[in-house]
C-alpha cells in the first residue's frame, strides 16, 4: 500500500521514537519550526492581500456609484430636446 502512494508513511513518535536518533529528532524540530514560520508569513501575506483587494474593490465601487449619481443629476441632455 505504501509503495503505490507518493507520500511517505506517517511517523508515530511514541511508537517510532526508539528507532530515531537524537539528531533526527532535532532535525525534525528545526524543520517544524521553519514550517511554522513559513505559515505565519503566508497568513500575514494573505491577510494583507485581502485588505488591499477589499480597499481596491471599495474604491472601484465608490467611483462607479459616484459616476452613476453624477450622470443622473445632469439635465443638459433634457434641455436639448
Amino acid at each position: 500500500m505504501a509503495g503505490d502512494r507518493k507520500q511517505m508513511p506517517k511517523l508515530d513518535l511514541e511508537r517510532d521514537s526508539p528507532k530515531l536518533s537524537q539528531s533526527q529528532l532535532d532535525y525534525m524540530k528545526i524543520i517544524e519550526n521553519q514550517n511554522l514560520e513559513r505559515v505565519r508569513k503566508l497568513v500575514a501575506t494573505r491577510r494583507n492581500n485581502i485588505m488591499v483587494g477589499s480597499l481596491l474593490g471599495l474604491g472601484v465601487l465608490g467611483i462607479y456609484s459616484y459616476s452613476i449619481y453624477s450622470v443622473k443629476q445632469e439635465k443638459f441632455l433634457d434641455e436639448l430636446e
Side-chain angles (χ1 to χ4, degrees):
M1 182 171 167
D4 56 353
R5 294 188 326 184
K6 294 194 180 210
Q7 290 183 338
M8 293 180 67
K10 297 251 183 209
L11 187 65
D12 183 16
L13 288 179
E14 294 171 0
R15 182 180 45 128
D16 296 331
S17 181
K19 297 177 187 176
L20 299 173
S21 67
Q22 186 60 38
S23 62
Q24 289 173 329
L25 292 173
D26 292 340
Y27 185 69
M28 286 171 52
K29 287 182 183 184
I30 291 170
I31 296 299
E32 183 178 352
N33 289 336
Q34 288 176 351
N35 191 35
L36 289 174
E37 184 63 31
R38 182 185 62 87
V39 168
R40 282 189 202 107
K41 287 180 183 178
L42 288 175
V43 167
T45 302
R46 182 178 174 102
R47 183 182 60 239
N48 290 341
N49 288 344
I50 289 172
M51 287 175 40
V52 168
S54 299
L55 289 174
L56 287 173
L58 288 173
V60 167
L61 286 174
I63 292 170
Y64 177 76
S65 59
Y66 175 75
S67 299
I68 296 298
Y69 176 72
S70 64
V71 167
K72 286 183 181 178
Q73 286 185 345
E74 293 179 3
K75 303 214 183 233
F76 70 90
L77 291 176
D78 294 336
E79 294 172 0
L80 291 177
E81 292 179 6

